Amino acid sequence: MTGYDQEQRESDSQRMSALVGDILNDVGKLVGQQAALFRAEVREDFHRTTRAVKYIGFGLATAGVGGLFLAVAAVHGLAAVVPTLPIWGCWSVVGAALLLVGGTAAVAGRLLVKSFNPLPNKSLAALEENVSWIANPQN
């Protein structure tokens, strides 16, 4: 083996080490970027959810007050339309109707919540793709 072959092997080894170092550096950057994307997506989802909850809370409170007013008006209207029905009967009819509407809305809301996925889908999909690429670089 000549001195030139030895130098060539050392040079190749240094280039290979530098290449592996660069790859590891790139993987580190990629993982850091994935983490930043994940955090940004979670933060965005949290802000969007917070804003929606504020509107829902205000809407429910306002609708609740309006519902109380309408319930009282419905009782008095039913008593005027059906004078033979006692006042407790009017309250019962209105209460049953409100219970039916409220129960239906609660079930619909429950179904809506079940369909919601709080995980950041984009970040998880990109991370999964990168992990599979790192695990199987030949594919």
Side-chain angles (χ1 to χ4, degrees), residues 123-135:
S123 296
L124 290 177
L127 182 61
E128 182 179 293
E129 180 182 337
N130 291 330
V131 167
S132 69
W133 181 84
I134 291 168

Side-chain angles (χ1 to χ4, degrees), residues 108-125:
R110 183 171 179 247
L111 293 174
L112 185 62
V113 167
K114 279 186 172 182
S115 72
F116 178 72
N117 184 4
L119 296 176
N121 299 328
K122 295 175 196 169
S123 296
L124 290 177

Side-chain angles (χ1 to χ4, degrees), residues 10-67:
E10 288 177 8
S11 175
D12 289 345
S13 176
Q14 289 174 349
R15 281 189 289 211
M16 184 61 87
S17 295
L19 182 62
V20 169
D22 288 344
I23 290 171
L24 291 176
N25 188 29
D26 289 346
V27 167
K29 285 181 182 178
L30 181 63
V31 169
Q33 289 170 344
Q34 291 292 327
L37 178 63
F38 180 80
R39 284 191 305 269
E41 197 171 341
V42 167
R43 191 177 308 118
E44 179 183 335
D45 286 348
F46 177 76
H47 289 306
R48 201 177 312 154
T49 301
T50 301
R51 188 174 14 167
V53 166
K54 287 178 183 177
Y55 279 108
I56 289 171
F58 177 75
L60 287 175
T62 305
V65 171

